[in-house]
Amino acid sequence: MTNPHGKRRGTRDMFARDFRKRGMIPLSTYMKCYKNGDIVDIKGCGTVTKGMPHKVYHGKTGRVYNVTKRAVGVIVNKRVRGDILAKKINLRVEHISHSKCRDDFLNRVVKNELVKKEAKASGVYVCTRRAPVNPRAAHTVKGKGISVEEVCPIRYEFIA
């Protein structure tokens, strides 16, 4: 069979619903509120073929720029050869979800503000920058009643 060239080529697993998530789409999907500037993840849902993203945009993250009754306009970066282009695509709400990419950052900002407030009250300097995790300290592994065995390669002897 020849290689197909359709729009949905190679999307059998991509647009398939998850295990035990098939059937009717939950109503909470339609009740979510999207506003301009929201960061959303694009994930094509195979149940709804209308307003579906092209397979290129599946798994990408974009920013909402337009909201209508059933659909949302999203700006997504797309790499075309060497350039990165900002593409505007329109998607139905079944194919997007709020992104959690900024949650960690926003929680860290709140925590840092509390730490700074406490430090200012006590008059102590506190560094709020993230520091890389240090390597583990050196230690000796001991075994109960087990002798140390030296492992070395066996000498190769050529037998003619």
Side-chain angles (χ1 to χ4, degrees):
M1 186 175 162
T2 59
N3 193 22
H5 299 287
K7 282 184 192 174
R8 292 184 63 168
R9 179 184 79 176
T11 60
R12 175 185 282 188
D13 296 327
M14 190 184 289
F15 291 147
R17 299 288 300 279
D18 293 333
F19 181 61
R20 290 200 200 148
K21 303 276 187 203
R22 298 170 196 276
M24 205 173 106
I25 297 170
L27 289 178
S28 60
T29 305
Y30 300 101
M31 301 298 286
K32 286 178 185 167
C33 184
Y34 294 100
K35 293 181 264 187
N36 284 359
D38 283 356
I39 298 173
V40 292
D41 292 330
I42 300 168
K43 183 183 177 189
C45 178
T47 311
V48 182
T49 51
K50 275 191 169 184
M52 192 179 231
H54 189 266
K55 62 184 176 181
V56 169
Y57 303 107
H58 184 82
K60 299 280 187 287
T61 301
R63 194 173 285 271
V64 174
Y65 79 93
N66 184 28
V67 179
T68 59
K69 191 162 64 170
R70 290 185 195 85
V72 171
V74 182
I75 298 174
V76 188
N77 286 338
K78 181 183 177 186
R79 187 164 168 265
V80 180
R81 296 189 179 95
D83 302 333
I84 294 174
L85 306 175
K87 306 283 281 187
K88 289 184 174 183
I89 57 174
N90 297 312
L91 308 165
R92 280 177 88 113
V93 291
E94 295 93 342
H95 308 294
I96 60 172
S97 61
H98 285 286
S99 182
K100 294 182 171 65
C101 63
R102 274 180 70 82
D103 288 354
D104 185 44
F105 169 73
L106 294 173
N107 292 337
R108 206 171 71 243
V109 168
V110 171
K111 190 184 84 174
N112 286 349
E113 290 301 319
L114 289 171
V115 170
K116 282 182 193 174
K117 199 172 184 181
E118 292 170 7
K120 194 171 185 181
S122 63
V124 181
Y125 172 76
V126 176
C127 182
T128 55
R129 292 182 177 182
R130 290 177 291 172
V133 179
N134 291 330
R136 287 178 285 182
H139 63 282
T140 307
V141 179
K142 295 179 183 176
K144 293 182 179 177
I146 300 171
S147 60
V148 178
E149 181 183 344
E150 287 189 25
V151 179
C152 57
I154 300 169
R155 186 184 170 100
Y156 177 75
E157 295 179 11
F158 182 73
I159 302 169

